[in-house]
Amino acid sequence: MKRTILPLLCLLAIFFIPSNAAAQTDYTYKNKSLPIETRVQDLLGRMTLEEKAGQLNQLSGGVLTGPQAANDPGQKDKLVQLRAGKVGSLLNVLGAQQTCAVQKIAVEESRLGIPLLFAYDVIHGYKTIFPIPLAEACTWEPAMAEKAASIAAKEASSAGLHWTFAPMMDLTRDPRWGRVMEGSGEDPLINSVFAAARVRGFQGNFDNQHLLACVKHFGGAYGASEAGKEYNTVDVSRYAFWNTYAPPYKAAVDAGAATLMNGFNIFDGIPSSSNKFLVTDVLKNRWGFKGFLVSDWASFREIITHGQAEDRAEAAMKAILAGSEMDMESRVIIENLPQLVKDGKVPLSMVDAAVSKILYWKFKLGLFDDPYSYCDEKKEAATLMAPAHLDAARDAARKSMVLLKNDNKTLPFSKSAKNVLVAGLFADSQDDALDFWCAQGQAKDVVTYRKGIANLLPKASISYAQGYEANGKTTAKLLADVNKKAGSADVIVAVIGITGKLAGEARSLADLSPAPGQMEMLRTLKATGKPFVVVVHASRPMVLTEVEKLAPAILNAWIGGTRMGDGAADILFGDYNPSAKTVISFPVAVGQIPVYYNAYNTGRPHRDGDEGPDDFWVSRYRDIPGSPLYPFGFGLSYTSFEYGEIAVKSIGTQTEPKYEASISVKNTGNREGEEIVQFYLRDPVASYVRPVKELKAFDKVSLKSGESKTVKFTVDKDMLSYFDENGNKVLEPGKFEFFVGGNSRDVKKAEVRW
Ligand code: GLC
């Protein structure tokens, strides 16, 4: 009896299952009315182990559709993997048309139709290129960086992208390192505020005009690569990690960064990608990071090269067990993870946890509900290089350029100048203008320094003298041309520097002095007796010691992006009063590197000018000064500022110190200007030695000629604390020194005791 009834009942039941339950059961992950978590878990439950490994596999795509790809076996194989559900993300696939065509294959031709994440290095602009991040940080205006990131995201997302590998927050004190341009200099606070600003700017509210940010390269102090040599060994203490290198990453995580990227280097002797301390203990457990990690290019496979894995399977296992997740371009995960799980070497729970986070963000971006919402070619055409974007790039450029010298008010030049000589190859070379990380920015769109001056002075006669060759050498003929044209010039703008082709990854340099031919050109100009300004076009602080001796004025223009020439012209001819301050020290010689303001005192400190009889057995060089040529926080204005004395009042309690430090700042010059008022402190006696100065706050104030303002800083217990080597915050009673000034060297001082 029972045998006949039961099947019958089951059969009948099928006809009475409510239709939406059938729909939900079959397509819960496609039901947009359900919570994302529900959809993630449903989809996860439908995936094979290979498909899960696929979500952790990122390939560099390039052009995947069309005749060019059809004849390329490598490209065809990527589409085979795509259709097999073995790819979760592609980088370097660009443009609304191309990303849409490839997304269609993933969504419509794979078993589960899981959409791809399209990623790209949108570092400082997509097509409209902004100043390099190092230059942007010199504005000390995080809001400006947030706006630049937001514009970059708007352009990149209109081109089909969902995810950028930025901001790079590897604090560094070494201008020999090519990637110094990608960061925000030598100070933890500056790096932290710009990290958060860029994350906010890129991500917005995760609509289809923004991008997932990817803070890199977590977390092992890549910027401390020995000798500034790219991909070199890093060996810093946990104490340095917690106090110097970790804060910017933490600020980015706290700002809600969706993803982070592993670094290439070792930390504590273990590659960042397989470093459980970094990825799990710090990032996930202590900081509560809920997003996901992507490796740097093939950094999972490089665990073998570093010498911490025997083969690809072991490299994959060590990366996953450390807590790392998506594998960029090494393919060790897609090749080995299923077997590692089957062999019990990697818990399935870790794989599911990683895959869930990637699926979460695909749902969060709405890719399951409308995979083609980023594929609007008309919107792309209207968005790229929009006039408002270019205007913003120009404003950012002029706000980022640092006036290092201006003797006898050489600058600003008069806009009524009739004959302007623009000298130097880099003054008019679009080819040398942009850096390696200029995304889809085109050299042909760059306004060079020469063009920018011509734009600003349409009635002036702008002559040009090349001055030196691309190889840095010069010739008698070139110098004669400079000399001749200088004779008839009212004003002279001489551009030197380092080509943008040597700016960025894999571009470390051991010599940061201007090329001999460039110096020959400057000496020729000096001999004419005419006033001239030197504009430095470089992605890192150069050694300007010899230039400083020759040039009446120096404007450090960095690499200012698509509108660099307009930005520089605005400063040179007075339409904009420079306000930028450098966020990285300028060494007097390469041998002085690393030189930075927030150094420890040592047991035998030396201060330039201390040269006395007992000043021999001290921490110094015998052949160069100890101080940098230009210190952290330094930058001139066309006006001048005078500081009063620091007034401090306690607003705290016995158990919780808190102070208000205030100081008056007066514009003593004859034009309006902006001053970046900087607040530093020192804890001169603590259980761990503390830096002689630490930037703890800053305020960029605008003052009219003759105007004074009282600038106030609230000093709280966090500012007075530091981390011990275990990352525990330490606040100790005792004396604290406060400093306020317009740079890290020229400061007023006050003391408190708590
Ligand atoms: C590079 C860089 C990394 C970049 C990635 C993808 O090697 O180290 O910053 O995001 O590869 O281009």
PDB file of all heavy atoms in Angstrom, residues 91-92 121 123 165 179 182 216-217 222 231 261 264 296-297 328 437 505, ligand 1:
ATOM      1  N   LEU A  91      41.568  41.781 -16.301  1.00  0.00           N
ATOM      2  CA  LEU A  91      42.130  43.141 -16.293  1.00  0.00           C
ATOM      3  C   LEU A  91      42.613  43.458 -17.698  1.00  0.00           C
ATOM      4  O   LEU A  91      42.815  42.561 -18.513  1.00  0.00           O
ATOM      5  CB  LEU A  91      43.272  43.265 -15.287  1.00  0.00           C
ATOM      6  CG  LEU A  91      44.597  42.550 -15.559  1.00  0.00           C
ATOM      7  CD1 LEU A  91      45.755  43.409 -15.061  1.00  0.00           C
ATOM      8  CD2 LEU A  91      44.630  41.198 -14.882  1.00  0.00           C
ATOM      9  N   ASN A  92      42.713  44.759 -17.949  1.00  0.00           N
ATOM     10  CA  ASN A  92      43.230  45.253 -19.233  1.00  0.00           C
ATOM     11  C   ASN A  92      42.317  44.932 -20.400  1.00  0.00           C
ATOM     12  O   ASN A  92      42.767  44.864 -21.537  1.00  0.00           O
ATOM     13  CB  ASN A  92      44.642  44.718 -19.509  1.00  0.00           C
ATOM     14  CG  ASN A  92      45.625  45.165 -18.443  1.00  0.00           C
ATOM     15  OD1 ASN A  92      45.473  46.247 -17.858  1.00  0.00           O
ATOM     16  ND2 ASN A  92      46.596  44.327 -18.134  1.00  0.00           N
ATOM     17  N   ASP A 121      44.324  49.554 -14.137  1.00  0.00           N
ATOM     18  CA  ASP A 121      45.100  50.474 -13.295  1.00  0.00           C
ATOM     19  C   ASP A 121      44.721  51.921 -13.603  1.00  0.00           C
ATOM     20  O   ASP A 121      45.350  52.564 -14.438  1.00  0.00           O
ATOM     21  CB  ASP A 121      46.595  50.273 -13.541  1.00  0.00           C
ATOM     22  CG  ASP A 121      47.075  48.937 -13.027  1.00  0.00           C
ATOM     23  OD1 ASP A 121      47.201  48.803 -11.795  1.00  0.00           O
ATOM     24  OD2 ASP A 121      47.287  48.022 -13.848  1.00  0.00           O
ATOM     25  N   ILE A 123      45.143  54.963 -12.064  1.00  0.00           N
ATOM     26  CA  ILE A 123      45.929  55.435 -10.917  1.00  0.00           C
ATOM     27  C   ILE A 123      45.697  56.917 -10.654  1.00  0.00           C
ATOM     28  O   ILE A 123      45.456  57.348  -9.544  1.00  0.00           O
ATOM     29  CB  ILE A 123      47.431  55.166 -11.144  1.00  0.00           C
ATOM     30  CG1 ILE A 123      47.651  53.707 -11.530  1.00  0.00           C
ATOM     31  CG2 ILE A 123      48.261  55.581  -9.936  1.00  0.00           C
ATOM     32  CD1 ILE A 123      47.253  52.696 -10.505  1.00  0.00           C
ATOM     33  N   PHE A 165      42.875  49.309  -9.728  1.00  0.00           N
ATOM     34  CA  PHE A 165      43.945  48.884  -8.807  1.00  0.00           C
ATOM     35  C   PHE A 165      44.606  50.155  -8.251  1.00  0.00           C
ATOM     36  O   PHE A 165      45.738  50.480  -8.579  1.00  0.00           O
ATOM     37  CB  PHE A 165      44.961  48.027  -9.547  1.00  0.00           C
ATOM     38  CG  PHE A 165      44.386  46.761 -10.096  1.00  0.00           C
ATOM     39  CD1 PHE A 165      44.651  46.367 -11.400  1.00  0.00           C
ATOM     40  CD2 PHE A 165      43.565  45.951  -9.320  1.00  0.00           C
ATOM     41  CE1 PHE A 165      44.130  45.176 -11.917  1.00  0.00           C
ATOM     42  CE2 PHE A 165      43.032  44.769  -9.819  1.00  0.00           C
ATOM     43  CZ  PHE A 165      43.318  44.380 -11.112  1.00  0.00           C
ATOM     44  N   ARG A 179      58.301  53.948  -8.100  1.00  0.00           N
ATOM     45  CA  ARG A 179      56.879  54.022  -7.718  1.00  0.00           C
ATOM     46  C   ARG A 179      56.611  55.081  -6.649  1.00  0.00           C
ATOM     47  O   ARG A 179      55.488  55.222  -6.184  1.00  0.00           O
ATOM     48  CB  ARG A 179      56.405  52.649  -7.242  1.00  0.00           C
ATOM     49  CG  ARG A 179      56.693  51.558  -8.261  1.00  0.00           C
ATOM     50  CD  ARG A 179      55.942  50.301  -8.014  1.00  0.00           C
ATOM     51  NE  ARG A 179      54.536  50.431  -8.443  1.00  0.00           N
ATOM     52  CZ  ARG A 179      53.753  49.385  -8.636  1.00  0.00           C
ATOM     53  NH1 ARG A 179      54.207  48.153  -8.437  1.00  0.00           N
ATOM     54  NH2 ARG A 179      52.504  49.568  -9.030  1.00  0.00           N
ATOM     55  N   GLU A 182      53.561  57.074  -7.226  1.00  0.00           N
ATOM     56  CA  GLU A 182      52.192  56.563  -7.062  1.00  0.00           C
ATOM     57  C   GLU A 182      51.640  56.787  -5.674  1.00  0.00           C
ATOM     58  O   GLU A 182      50.453  56.645  -5.444  1.00  0.00           O
ATOM     59  CB  GLU A 182      52.175  55.051  -7.332  1.00  0.00           C
ATOM     60  CG  GLU A 182      52.519  54.629  -8.727  1.00  0.00           C
ATOM     61  CD  GLU A 182      52.563  53.117  -8.850  1.00  0.00           C
ATOM     62  OE1 GLU A 182      51.583  52.452  -8.481  1.00  0.00           O
ATOM     63  OE2 GLU A 182      53.602  52.593  -9.265  1.00  0.00           O
ATOM     64  N   LYS A 216      46.711  49.222  -2.473  1.00  0.00           N
ATOM     65  CA  LYS A 216      47.885  48.385  -2.695  1.00  0.00           C
ATOM     66  C   LYS A 216      49.139  49.103  -2.226  1.00  0.00           C
ATOM     67  O   LYS A 216      49.101  50.319  -2.003  1.00  0.00           O
ATOM     68  CB  LYS A 216      47.963  48.040  -4.192  1.00  0.00           C
ATOM     69  CG  LYS A 216      48.196  49.238  -5.102  1.00  0.00           C
ATOM     70  CD  LYS A 216      48.098  48.813  -6.572  1.00  0.00           C
ATOM     71  CE  LYS A 216      48.483  49.925  -7.505  1.00  0.00           C
ATOM     72  NZ  LYS A 216      48.312  49.584  -8.922  1.00  0.00           N
ATOM     73  N   HIS A 217      50.237  48.311  -1.944  1.00  0.00           N
ATOM     74  CA  HIS A 217      50.279  46.855  -2.107  1.00  0.00           C
ATOM     75  C   HIS A 217      50.411  46.294  -0.700  1.00  0.00           C
ATOM     76  O   HIS A 217      51.456  46.457  -0.086  1.00  0.00           O
ATOM     77  CB  HIS A 217      51.482  46.474  -2.957  1.00  0.00           C
ATOM     78  CG  HIS A 217      51.458  47.107  -4.294  1.00  0.00           C
ATOM     79  ND1 HIS A 217      51.827  48.418  -4.528  1.00  0.00           N
ATOM     80  CD2 HIS A 217      51.078  46.635  -5.503  1.00  0.00           C
ATOM     81  CE1 HIS A 217      51.696  48.713  -5.799  1.00  0.00           C
ATOM     82  NE2 HIS A 217      51.228  47.650  -6.420  1.00  0.00           N
ATOM     83  N   TYR A 222      56.270  47.788   0.904  1.00  0.00           N
ATOM     84  CA  TYR A 222      56.896  47.717  -0.430  1.00  0.00           C
ATOM     85  C   TYR A 222      57.732  48.980  -0.660  1.00  0.00           C
ATOM     86  O   TYR A 222      58.768  48.963  -1.292  1.00  0.00           O
ATOM     87  CB  TYR A 222      55.778  47.552  -1.427  1.00  0.00           C
ATOM     88  CG  TYR A 222      56.067  47.451  -2.901  1.00  0.00           C
ATOM     89  CD1 TYR A 222      57.333  47.188  -3.414  1.00  0.00           C
ATOM     90  CD2 TYR A 222      55.024  47.594  -3.804  1.00  0.00           C
ATOM     91  CE1 TYR A 222      57.554  47.079  -4.789  1.00  0.00           C
ATOM     92  CE2 TYR A 222      55.237  47.489  -5.174  1.00  0.00           C
ATOM     93  CZ  TYR A 222      56.493  47.242  -5.658  1.00  0.00           C
ATOM     94  OH  TYR A 222      56.686  47.147  -7.032  1.00  0.00           O
ATOM     95  N   TYR A 231      61.268  45.890  -6.601  1.00  0.00           N
ATOM     96  CA  TYR A 231      61.041  44.488  -6.254  1.00  0.00           C
ATOM     97  C   TYR A 231      62.115  43.946  -5.307  1.00  0.00           C
ATOM     98  O   TYR A 231      62.250  42.730  -5.159  1.00  0.00           O
ATOM     99  CB  TYR A 231      61.001  43.577  -7.488  1.00  0.00           C
ATOM    100  CG  TYR A 231      60.149  44.061  -8.633  1.00  0.00           C
ATOM    101  CD1 TYR A 231      60.691  44.198  -9.914  1.00  0.00           C
ATOM    102  CD2 TYR A 231      58.815  44.395  -8.461  1.00  0.00           C
ATOM    103  CE1 TYR A 231      59.911  44.654 -10.974  1.00  0.00           C
ATOM    104  CE2 TYR A 231      58.029  44.837  -9.527  1.00  0.00           C
ATOM    105  CZ  TYR A 231      58.595  44.980 -10.772  1.00  0.00           C
ATOM    106  OH  TYR A 231      57.828  45.422 -11.835  1.00  0.00           O
ATOM    107  N   MET A 261      45.285  44.694  -2.502  1.00  0.00           N
ATOM    108  CA  MET A 261      46.171  43.877  -3.340  1.00  0.00           C
ATOM    109  C   MET A 261      47.410  43.502  -2.545  1.00  0.00           C
ATOM    110  O   MET A 261      48.006  44.339  -1.869  1.00  0.00           O
ATOM    111  CB  MET A 261      46.587  44.665  -4.589  1.00  0.00           C
ATOM    112  CG  MET A 261      47.510  43.899  -5.516  1.00  0.00           C
ATOM    113  SD  MET A 261      48.100  44.888  -6.908  1.00  0.00           S
ATOM    114  CE  MET A 261      46.608  45.035  -7.873  1.00  0.00           C
ATOM    115  N   PHE A 264      54.456  42.494  -3.684  1.00  0.00           N
ATOM    116  CA  PHE A 264      55.413  41.548  -4.281  1.00  0.00           C
ATOM    117  C   PHE A 264      56.434  41.074  -3.252  1.00  0.00           C
ATOM    118  O   PHE A 264      57.010  40.004  -3.380  1.00  0.00           O
ATOM    119  CB  PHE A 264      56.206  42.246  -5.403  1.00  0.00           C
ATOM    120  CG  PHE A 264      55.483  42.410  -6.687  1.00  0.00           C
ATOM    121  CD1 PHE A 264      55.353  43.658  -7.276  1.00  0.00           C
ATOM    122  CD2 PHE A 264      54.954  41.315  -7.361  1.00  0.00           C
ATOM    123  CE1 PHE A 264      54.710  43.825  -8.485  1.00  0.00           C
ATOM    124  CE2 PHE A 264      54.304  41.475  -8.582  1.00  0.00           C
ATOM    125  CZ  PHE A 264      54.187  42.734  -9.130  1.00  0.00           C
ATOM    126  N   ASP A 296      49.154  40.620  -6.488  1.00  0.00           N
ATOM    127  CA  ASP A 296      49.774  41.422  -7.536  1.00  0.00           C
ATOM    128  C   ASP A 296      50.121  40.457  -8.667  1.00  0.00           C
ATOM    129  O   ASP A 296      50.007  39.241  -8.543  1.00  0.00           O
ATOM    130  CB  ASP A 296      51.005  42.171  -7.008  1.00  0.00           C
ATOM    131  CG  ASP A 296      51.311  43.388  -7.873  1.00  0.00           C
ATOM    132  OD1 ASP A 296      50.874  43.397  -9.053  1.00  0.00           O
ATOM    133  OD2 ASP A 296      51.949  44.329  -7.403  1.00  0.00           O
ATOM    134  N   TRP A 297      50.564  41.018  -9.792  1.00  0.00           N
ATOM    135  CA  TRP A 297      50.745  40.231 -11.011  1.00  0.00           C
ATOM    136  C   TRP A 297      51.650  39.016 -10.756  1.00  0.00           C
ATOM    137  O   TRP A 297      52.834  39.168 -10.476  1.00  0.00           O
ATOM    138  CB  TRP A 297      51.363  41.119 -12.097  1.00  0.00           C
ATOM    139  CG  TRP A 297      51.410  40.464 -13.433  1.00  0.00           C
ATOM    140  CD1 TRP A 297      52.236  39.452 -13.815  1.00  0.00           C
ATOM    141  CD2 TRP A 297      50.598  40.765 -14.575  1.00  0.00           C
ATOM    142  NE1 TRP A 297      52.006  39.102 -15.123  1.00  0.00           N
ATOM    143  CE2 TRP A 297      51.008  39.889 -15.624  1.00  0.00           C
ATOM    144  CE3 TRP A 297      49.569  41.661 -14.845  1.00  0.00           C
ATOM    145  CZ2 TRP A 297      50.423  39.912 -16.890  1.00  0.00           C
ATOM    146  CZ3 TRP A 297      48.987  41.676 -16.102  1.00  0.00           C
ATOM    147  CH2 TRP A 297      49.405  40.824 -17.105  1.00  0.00           C
ATOM    148  N   MET A 328      45.989  36.965  -9.610  1.00  0.00           N
ATOM    149  CA  MET A 328      46.165  37.724 -10.841  1.00  0.00           C
ATOM    150  C   MET A 328      47.245  37.061 -11.683  1.00  0.00           C
ATOM    151  O   MET A 328      48.423  37.069 -11.311  1.00  0.00           O
ATOM    152  CB  MET A 328      46.564  39.181 -10.559  1.00  0.00           C
ATOM    153  CG  MET A 328      46.735  40.009 -11.806  1.00  0.00           C
ATOM    154  SD  MET A 328      47.602  41.579 -11.518  1.00  0.00           S
ATOM    155  CE  MET A 328      46.437  42.453 -10.500  1.00  0.00           C
ATOM    156  N   TRP A 437      51.969  55.036 -15.551  1.00  0.00           N
ATOM    157  CA  TRP A 437      50.606  54.760 -15.059  1.00  0.00           C
ATOM    158  C   TRP A 437      49.617  55.796 -15.560  1.00  0.00           C
ATOM    159  O   TRP A 437      48.808  56.318 -14.807  1.00  0.00           O
ATOM    160  CB  TRP A 437      50.604  54.713 -13.535  1.00  0.00           C
ATOM    161  CG  TRP A 437      51.317  53.555 -12.948  1.00  0.00           C
ATOM    162  CD1 TRP A 437      52.417  53.584 -12.147  1.00  0.00           C
ATOM    163  CD2 TRP A 437      51.007  52.156 -13.139  1.00  0.00           C
ATOM    164  NE1 TRP A 437      52.805  52.313 -11.814  1.00  0.00           N
ATOM    165  CE2 TRP A 437      51.961  51.410 -12.408  1.00  0.00           C
ATOM    166  CE3 TRP A 437      50.027  51.467 -13.846  1.00  0.00           C
ATOM    167  CZ2 TRP A 437      51.958  50.013 -12.356  1.00  0.00           C
ATOM    168  CZ3 TRP A 437      50.026  50.078 -13.801  1.00  0.00           C
ATOM    169  CH2 TRP A 437      50.973  49.360 -13.067  1.00  0.00           C
ATOM    170  N   GLU A 505      56.488  51.851 -12.157  1.00  0.00           N
ATOM    171  CA  GLU A 505      56.988  50.526 -11.800  1.00  0.00           C
ATOM    172  C   GLU A 505      58.154  50.111 -12.673  1.00  0.00           C
ATOM    173  O   GLU A 505      58.216  50.447 -13.837  1.00  0.00           O
ATOM    174  CB  GLU A 505      55.878  49.492 -11.947  1.00  0.00           C
ATOM    175  CG  GLU A 505      56.322  48.109 -11.538  1.00  0.00           C
ATOM    176  CD  GLU A 505      55.220  47.085 -11.675  1.00  0.00           C
ATOM    177  OE1 GLU A 505      54.115  47.463 -12.078  1.00  0.00           O
ATOM    178  OE2 GLU A 505      55.477  45.910 -11.378  1.00  0.00           O
TER     179      GLU A 505
HETATM  180  C1  GLC B   1      51.745  45.501 -11.597  1.00  0.00           C
HETATM  181  C2  GLC B   1      51.731  46.349 -10.349  1.00  0.00           C
HETATM  182  C3  GLC B   1      50.376  46.533  -9.749  1.00  0.00           C
HETATM  183  C4  GLC B   1      49.339  46.580 -10.850  1.00  0.00           C
HETATM  184  C5  GLC B   1      49.299  45.205 -11.493  1.00  0.00           C
HETATM  185  C6  GLC B   1      48.322  45.142 -12.660  1.00  0.00           C
HETATM  186  O1  GLC B   1      52.835  44.624 -11.588  1.00  0.00           O
HETATM  187  O2  GLC B   1      52.614  45.974  -9.302  1.00  0.00           O
HETATM  188  O3  GLC B   1      50.402  47.740  -8.968  1.00  0.00           O
HETATM  189  O4  GLC B   1      48.067  46.905 -10.334  1.00  0.00           O
HETATM  190  O5  GLC B   1      50.574  44.761 -11.913  1.00  0.00           O
HETATM  191  O6  GLC B   1      48.762  45.962 -13.696  1.00  0.00           O
END
